[in-house]
Amino acid sequence: MARALIVGGGIAGDTLALFLGRDGWEVTVAEIAPAPRTGGQTVDLRGDCREVLRQAGLLEQALGCLIPQRGAAWIATDERRLAEMPVEAFDGQGLVSREELLRTDLARIIHEAAGPGVTHRFGDTVDALRDQGSRVLARFRGGASEEFDLVVGADGAHSRVRALRFGPEENYRRPLGLAHAWFTLTESPGTPRLDDWFLLYNAPGRRAMAARPGHPGQQEVGLTFAADTLPPRHDREAQFALLERTFADAGWRAEEFLAAARKAPDFALDTYDQVHMPSWSVGRVVLLGDSAWCASPLSGLGTALALRGAAELAAALRSAGVHSDPTDPSAALTAFETTMRPRAASAQQLPPGRVAMVAPHSTLGIRINAWAMRAIQAKALRPLMARAFAATEHGRRPAETEGMRPEVTN
Ligand SMILES: Cc1cc2nc3c(=O)[nH]c(=O)nc-3n(C[C@H](O)[C@H](O)[C@H](O)COP(=O)(O)OP(=O)(O)OC[C@H]3O[C@@H](n4cnc5c(N)ncnc54)[C@H](O)[C@@H]3O)c2cc1C
């Protein structure tokens, strides 16, 4: 039986594990977190997400976890509306859709669907990968070594597999000049309610805050600011201190959000980066998802691409019969890259002004932003914008983001 090692049990890794397990592979998923990772904002079920979940037989389950949404609103510090885009805008094809679920729920649904051929090693990763021609020898952090016919690096934008087999992150990372913190806020009796609206607030100095509906009694919060580098990931205190310095005088609910960040079990902070690689495979090692092509949360397509990429890689391996004869997976890996590269490249092409729009420098920029959000919904421009929203491949929204809203929409 062909054996695959998938490093990283996120959306890309667990989706691939699901498909390969069904195709008869013996699959090991090494996930560095001690348990399936929760957290993240919403995932839009339009476009590729929907198609791949349907193919996996998981669409109904995903549709059962939708978050109630009324739309997005750009607000002033006193919550006065500067602009709104309800879910009905552009015939339901606008920025926020009625069909969104939390990344946490999507990850759980995919993870729980893994069949008996899939084994997860939580709290583990690879320390070394040696390509021996006919197989790859992987040494796990725990000390054990095992041989695999295929190794997939689905370990995100800061991929260890990429570092081990393709070289250091700085060779491939393109920072976009922004950083983003996200976490879940648990409501208390005094917490301002969202009434199912996704609220976006900008403060001068390239600072943005957003809160959107989460599970009942929870809000998903995002804080975005200008930065190319951050304190080390293990130095939580330095990360909180940076956020506090940046947002202390930002207005709206800054004080409350900064306090909630410290208490959140799923707090995360990262830069908005893209990953650009000349090739996604070397020998029997292939990259998938953010590790290969991260388009950044600003694309609004990270999860859609992760799902689509997993489906395409599984399909390429299946049609080349690698599960029954793993002697040479190279044709399948080339076919996968040929199919996926144009999609990834298209997602990486952010519309002009996209980065500036998320976090404008000045009060004037903030006003222009709100005006633009109103203007694109004006009657005269509606047909044009509806075409632009609908034409964006894979359900891509021109106006907003994943991390800010659209992630994951990844
Ligand atoms: C908890 C979480 C929350 C997120 N929230 C958002 C969000 O709100 N907005 C947004 O735009 N994007 C978010 N993302 C990113 C988004 O999920 C991805 O851009 C997209 O789904 C592509 O998925 P991926 O599987 O390629 O990468 P990821 O989703 O990043 O998954 C990578 C997985 O690999 C694991 N991993 C990392 N390093 C190693 C290692 N060395 N060894 C083994 N495992 C490793 C990680 O723990 C993770 O489970 C989030 C990701 C995670 C993990």
Side-chain angles (χ1 to χ4, degrees):
M1 187 185 279
R3 302 190 76 216
L5 168 64
I6 300 173
V7 183
I11 302 290
D14 266 355
T15 306
L16 182 68
L18 171 72
F19 284 127
L20 293 190
R22 288 177 184 176
D23 287 345
W25 288 74
E26 185 188 322
V27 183
T28 299
V29 180
E31 164 57 51
I32 201 161
R37 287 198 55 188
T38 58
Q41 305 205 340
T42 61
V43 177
D44 192 335
L45 283 182
R46 295 173 290 190
D48 268 350
C49 286
R50 190 181 196 89
E51 269 178 57
V52 177
L53 289 172
R54 180 183 287 123
Q55 187 187 334
L58 301 176
L59 181 59
E60 288 311 312
Q61 257 178 284
L63 288 170
C65 295
L66 298 183
I67 294 291
Q69 305 235 63
R70 293 171 67 190
W74 290 261
I75 57 165
T77 189
D78 58 359
E79 295 208 1
R80 184 170 37 90
R81 299 295 215 251
L82 304 176
E84 278 186 0
M85 192 183 288
V87 288
E88 296 81 15
F90 308 112
D91 296 328
Q93 296 301 312
L95 169 61
V96 175
S97 130
R98 283 210 174 86
E99 294 198 345
E100 294 184 8
L101 77 166
L102 291 174
R103 183 201 166 279
T104 290
D105 290 326
L106 179 63
R108 176 183 47 77
I109 289 167
I110 295 168
H111 180 75
E112 288 174 358
V118 179
T119 306
H120 281 81
R121 296 173 75 125
F122 285 107
D124 208 351
T125 186
V126 286
D127 273 345
L129 292 170
R130 181 140 45 93
D131 204 329
Q132 302 176 314
S134 60
R135 291 193 123 186
V136 179
L137 182 69
R139 197 179 71 227
F140 291 95
R141 179 168 282 176
S145 291
E146 285 183 41
E147 288 188 333
F148 296 91
D149 298 293
L150 183 73
V151 173
V152 182
D155 45 348
H158 306 291
S159 170
R160 169 178 284 256
V161 172
R162 193 182 58 219
L164 288 172
R165 294 297 287 132
F166 297 80
E169 181 167 320
E170 54 268 28
N171 292 356
Y172 308 113
R173 168 183 181 244
R174 287 201 203 154
L176 297 177
L178 292 174
H180 182 66
W182 69 90
F183 55 90
T184 301
L185 175 150
T186 301
E187 293 176 343
S188 61
T191 304
R193 296 302 193 257
L194 300 174
D195 292 330
D196 300 338
W197 281 90
F198 171 27
L199 299 185
L200 298 120
Y201 167 79
N202 284 106
R206 307 198 66 201
R207 295 172 295 173
M209 292 188 265
R212 56 181 313 134
H215 285 148
Q218 294 184 334
Q219 300 180 11
E220 297 300 326
V221 176
L223 307 177
T224 305
F225 58 104
D228 272 343
T229 55
L230 292 168
R233 257 170 282 166
H234 61 265
D235 194 346
R236 259 306 136 80
E237 191 47 48
Q239 296 188 342
F240 290 136
L242 172 63
L243 283 180
E244 281 156 10
R245 277 198 306 279
T246 307
F247 284 94
D249 64 345
W252 190 35
R253 296 170 60 187
E255 209 177 308
E256 177 197 349
F257 289 161
L258 292 170
R262 285 184 173 271
K263 289 190 222 146
D266 57 355
F267 173 86
L269 173 67
D270 206 347
T271 43
Y272 276 161
D273 298 331
Q274 291 195 338
V275 171
H276 291 257
M277 301 196 65
S279 169
W280 296 336
S281 64
V282 50
R284 294 176 175 274
V285 179
V286 61
L287 301 179
L288 174 70
D290 278 1
S291 65
W293 58 64
C294 181
S296 94
L298 297 186
S299 73
L301 286 174
T303 297
L305 283 177
L307 285 162
R308 173 54 66 195
E312 294 296 342
L313 179 53
L317 292 164
R318 191 181 307 126
S319 63
V322 182
H323 56 293
S324 53
D325 177 8
T327 314
D328 182 8
S330 60
L333 300 184
T334 303
F336 157 66
E337 186 158 342
T338 305
T339 308
M340 272 312 287
R341 197 166 268 283
R343 290 171 179 268
S346 151
Q348 287 180 327
Q349 273 182 354
L350 302 176
R354 179 76 192 83
V355 175
M357 208 171 161
V358 174
H361 274 287
S362 64
T363 307
L364 178 63
I366 294 168
R367 284 204 195 117
I368 291 174
N369 224 2
W371 172 84
M373 288 304 130
R374 292 195 304 272
I376 61 172
Q377 297 175 78
K379 208 169 175 186
L381 280 180
R382 248 180 258 159
L384 185 69
M385 290 309 299
R387 275 205 301 281
F389 275 113
T392 47
E393 217 184 343
H394 331 305
R396 172 184 189 170
R397 272 69 40 76
E400 263 307 323
T401 108
E402 212 162 77
M404 290 293 300
R405 153 279 125 356
E407 163 262 28
V408 193
T409 330
N410 100 58

